[in-house]
Amino acid sequence: MDLDKNKPGTASSRRRYVTTRRLDRIFVELANVYRFNARFFKEVWLPPYEFKEIIRQCYEIGVRSLPLISLTGFIIGIVFTNQSRPSLADFGATSLLPALISVAIIRAIGPLVTALIAAGRVGSAIGAELGSMRVTEQIDAMEVSATNPFKFLVVSRVLATTLMIPALTMFTTLVSLLGGYLNVHQNELTSLSVFFYQVFDAITFLDIIASSVKSVIFGYTIGMVGCYKGYNSSKGTEGVGKAANSSVVTAMFLIFIEELLIMQVINTIRAF
Amino acid sequence: MEAKEINPNIDRNEKVISIRGLKKAFDDFEVLKGVDLDLFKGENLVVLGRSGTGKSVLIKIISGLLQADEGSVNVLGREVGALKPRELDALRLKIGFSFQNSALYDSMTVRENLEFPLIRHAKHMTEAEREDTIQYVLEAVGLLQAINQMPSELSGGQRKRIGIARTLILKPDIMLYDEPTAGLDPITCIEINSLINEVQEKFNTSSIIITHDLTCARAVGDRIVMLLDGQFQREGTFDEVFESNDERVQSFYNYNFID
């Protein structure tokens, strides 16, 4: 038995030490994330309620995102319709385009695209703003003036994203369908009423509920990730950049995972 | 540079802050190694020391932003470490904390910055009363004209003044100043020093001023303590503190006042 390999300072013990430290850090981070989420669910019910700040954040997150979301949604509707037509035309089934667009946009593309755009625009803004407030001691200043910074900054922003992302999703879906309609109307001369009759005929109530639930979860994720990264940022201005960047990357990653899981759950429910 | 005349209204029988055996470490680095300190009512106490010696850590522990590892911190008769969150908030309303970089809320105007604590902690006030209070503290710091400006439009000295005004708005008993003259030009430093003394007179506050600026220390301190190696090594008036052969004290003095 080679006793030397267990001695501190040897290559193997150093590797073990590094691995243990990494595992420690992962578990500590997970515990912190859990505590942060638990604190949100505790504080969201307790007074005082920061209604003014929640409304301000809803405006910032919802209304200010409308131009970007509208343009993206509209273009996606047109592009998706245009790209789907040749495949359906091969089978002489272009009359099914409204149904295809409806299922794809309402079930998946609408919520997903809205969430990804919001993660980029809103998530990074929240991460950078709170990160900058942390490093310039503005969060400490709130705390020493006996104001709960978690309630004012985190609860208001997470509530705003949770409320506004579903609203934005509905809007994106509508605008995408409108883009799809214009393309279909131009090529197949389908009327608006026929198009929307086929759109709603192709989906079920479960699709709308699933889409809404998904966008609520996406909204919560975007707000929570941005706030967590920003609120806990450190290391000065470098930390602010990292908070903004990792807010976007982490939120997008989680959104894809959630999409996958929710899709499985909905398909299981649909099978019954 | 004139030394400050000691405030005659200091009540040596009433301690507003009393610290005993305070220890604080970050990982393996022990910053405070058993600090004892008293702040008397009406007194301006200057804590001198080099950067990284734990001066800011000391006032962050006093205001409950950091937890002490050991020792007792008694503020206005309450043991800070033993307070529940609600009790700590009540105590914090009696403490004003002026941050090194002012820590003004970037997204709010000067008026909104000053309104922020009033809306939450002076709910009995009408809108007119709030406006009067804001104007009173802005006049006290000489910046009434900046009421509608954003923090980004203010100079470093103006930001410091507004930061002090925001802490004064709830009429605290104790003021904690973290490096009030750091990063300011000499003329603005003199103005800030005068403001600290005016606040002491007008608002009858007791203050701890954290600094490494000896000009500031001499201009505002009724008493000065020097933090060296995690403990207070020297205490007294400015001249008493620097009447020492200790090389660490002398080098600090020489660095600030090179002939």
Side-chain angles (χ1 to χ4, degrees):
Chain A
M1 189 180 163
D2 183 11
L3 292 173
D4 201 36
K5 72 176 182 186
N6 291 325
K7 277 185 184 173
T10 61
S12 72
S13 65
R14 270 201 301 275
R15 264 200 305 277
R16 255 201 316 278
Y17 175 76
V18 169
T19 312
T20 315
R21 285 294 294 264
R22 276 187 192 153
L23 281 173
D24 277 356
R25 270 204 292 271
I26 289 168
F27 284 119
V28 167
E29 186 74 2
L30 285 175
N32 287 338
V33 169
Y34 168 76
R35 271 206 296 270
F36 201 78
N37 278 273
R39 190 173 172 193
F40 170 80
F41 283 109
K42 185 184 154 200
E43 303 233 6
V44 73
W45 307 110
L46 299 174
Y49 306 108
E50 301 283 355
F51 290 120
K52 204 176 160 190
E53 182 63 8
I54 293 169
I55 290 166
R56 195 177 78 84
Q57 289 303 324
C58 284
Y59 177 78
E60 288 289 329
I61 292 162
V63 179
R64 292 257 174 123
S65 300
L66 274 179
L68 182 65
I69 293 276
S70 308
L71 186 69
T72 318
F74 189 70
I75 291 170
I76 282 174
I78 293 174
V79 171
F80 182 77
T81 312
N82 227 4
Q83 296 295 332
S84 305
R85 182 174 292 104
S87 305
L88 290 178
D90 287 346
F91 299 98
T94 47
S95 62
L96 290 176
L97 257 178
L100 176 70
I101 298 165
S102 164
V103 169
I105 288 176
I106 293 173
R107 280 190 191 171
I109 295 175
L112 198 60
V113 165
T114 310
L116 292 177
I117 292 169
R121 198 193 99 75
V122 177
S124 64
I126 292 176
E129 188 185 9
L130 296 200
S132 146
M133 289 186 80
R134 170 62 75 195
V135 301
T136 55
E137 294 180 312
Q138 291 175 51
I139 293 178
D140 286 343
M142 270 184 203
E143 206 165 338
V144 293
S145 70
T147 300
N148 183 346
F150 191 92
K151 174 145 271 183
F152 184 77
L153 299 171
V154 177
V155 173
S156 60
R157 279 163 179 76
V158 176
L159 274 181
T161 53
T162 310
L163 291 171
M164 284 297 108
I165 300 301
L168 286 173
T169 299
M170 273 190 257
F171 187 76
T172 312
T173 305
L174 191 72
V175 171
S176 297
L177 289 174
L178 205 64
Y181 162 72
L182 289 178
N183 194 283
V184 170
H185 177 71
Q186 194 185 23
N187 292 284
E188 280 84 27
L189 303 175
T190 310
S191 71
L192 187 71
S193 56
V194 171
F195 178 84
F196 275 98
Y197 176 80
Q198 290 189 359
V199 161
F200 287 111
D201 196 42
I203 55 163
T204 61
F205 188 62
L206 182 64
D207 293 322
I208 294 169
I209 293 290
S211 178
S212 308
V213 169
K214 219 170 4 180
S215 55
V216 166
I217 293 171
F218 291 162
Y220 176 80
T221 305
I222 292 164
M224 190 46 85
V225 170
C227 287
Y228 178 79
K229 295 288 180 184
Y231 201 80
N232 296 303
S233 74
S234 56
K235 295 179 186 168
T237 45
E238 187 197 345
V240 178
K242 276 188 180 166
N245 183 267
S246 74
S247 297
V248 179
V249 175
T250 313
M252 284 186 174
F253 175 73
L254 289 175
I255 285 166
F256 282 119
I257 302 281
E258 285 164 359
E259 168 72 29
L260 198 69
L261 292 175
I262 295 168
M263 191 182 72
Q264 294 301 325
V265 172
I266 298 298
N267 284 344
T268 312
I269 294 171
R270 197 172 278 125
F272 284 104
Chain B
M1 182 187 65
E2 280 184 28
K4 186 197 177 209
E5 279 181 29
I6 294 176
N7 180 11
N9 298 324
I10 297 172
D11 183 354
R12 301 270 171 204
N13 296 317
E14 191 178 345
K15 293 175 188 171
V16 289
I17 295 178
S18 179
I19 296 172
R20 293 289 174 269
L22 177 64
K23 290 185 181 176
K24 179 71 185 172
F26 294 98
D27 294 326
D28 297 331
F29 179 56
E30 203 172 11
V31 185
L32 300 174
K33 302 173 183 172
V35 165
D36 295 331
L37 178 78
D38 289 319
L39 174 69
F40 298 103
K41 190 169 171 55
E43 183 183 36
N44 270 1
L45 173 73
V46 172
V47 177
L48 272 177
R50 292 177 57 187
S51 298
T53 50
K55 306 186 300 290
S56 299
V57 171
L58 176 73
I59 54 171
K60 283 185 177 172
I61 291 173
I62 291 171
S63 62
L65 280 175
L66 290 174
Q67 293 276 321
D69 293 338
E70 265 181 59
S72 114
V73 178
N74 193 294
V75 179
L76 298 168
R78 311 295 305 267
E79 193 60 38
V80 175
L83 294 177
K84 291 175 184 162
R86 236 165 237 248
E87 295 169 331
L88 182 60
D89 279 347
L91 180 66
R92 279 170 169 167
L93 294 179
K94 295 173 184 166
I95 303 173
F97 197 125
S98 168
F99 285 85
Q100 186 171 350
N101 57 11
S102 312
L104 298 179
Y105 309 132
D106 288 335
S107 58
M108 302 180 196
T109 63
V110 168
R111 175 188 268 112
E112 287 165 341
N113 262 279
L114 299 179
E115 233 176 21
F116 190 83
L118 282 183
I119 288 172
R120 282 155 186 83
H121 303 298
K123 288 177 181 163
H124 58 279
M125 275 189 176
T126 63
E127 208 165 304
E129 285 170 335
R130 269 209 304 267
E131 187 62 26
D132 287 348
T133 311
I134 290 168
Q135 295 205 1
Y136 174 72
V137 290
L138 279 178
E139 262 173 30
V141 300
L143 275 177
L144 185 55
Q145 74 280 7
I147 190 163
N148 291 318
Q149 283 182 276
M150 296 299 285
S152 58
E153 296 166 349
L154 303 172
S155 69
Q158 287 174 321
R159 288 169 68 94
K160 278 266 170 22
R161 283 168 176 271
I162 300 295
I164 292 171
R166 190 178 61 187
T167 62
L168 287 174
I169 204 144
L170 292 173
K171 298 191 173 68
D173 296 332
I174 298 169
M175 284 292 289
L176 305 173
Y177 297 93
D178 191 2
E179 303 280 7
T181 57
L184 300 178
D185 65 86
I187 306 295
T188 312
C189 286
I190 293 168
E191 287 171 5
I192 295 291
N193 294 341
S194 308
L195 178 62
I196 292 171
N197 288 331
E198 280 168 30
V199 166
Q200 182 191 24
E201 280 172 32
K202 231 184 223 177
F203 294 84
N204 197 24
T205 54
S206 319
S207 311
I208 294 181
I209 300 111
I210 301 292
T211 187
H212 56 249
D213 173 6
L214 294 193
T215 313
C216 170
R218 182 176 261 186
V220 303
D222 294 311
R223 184 162 57 104
I224 290 164
V225 289
M226 193 156 189
L227 193 58
L228 290 167
D229 300 326
Q231 284 180 318
F232 290 131
Q233 304 282 0
R234 305 283 302 167
E235 182 184 340
T237 61
F238 186 87
D239 292 333
E240 285 167 356
V241 166
F242 287 98
E243 273 170 9
S244 165
N245 293 324
D246 189 327
E247 204 176 295
R248 295 168 303 175
V249 177
Q250 280 310 313
S251 66
F252 198 83
Y253 185 88
N254 292 336
Y255 180 77
N256 272 264
F257 302 111
I258 299 165
D259 293 329

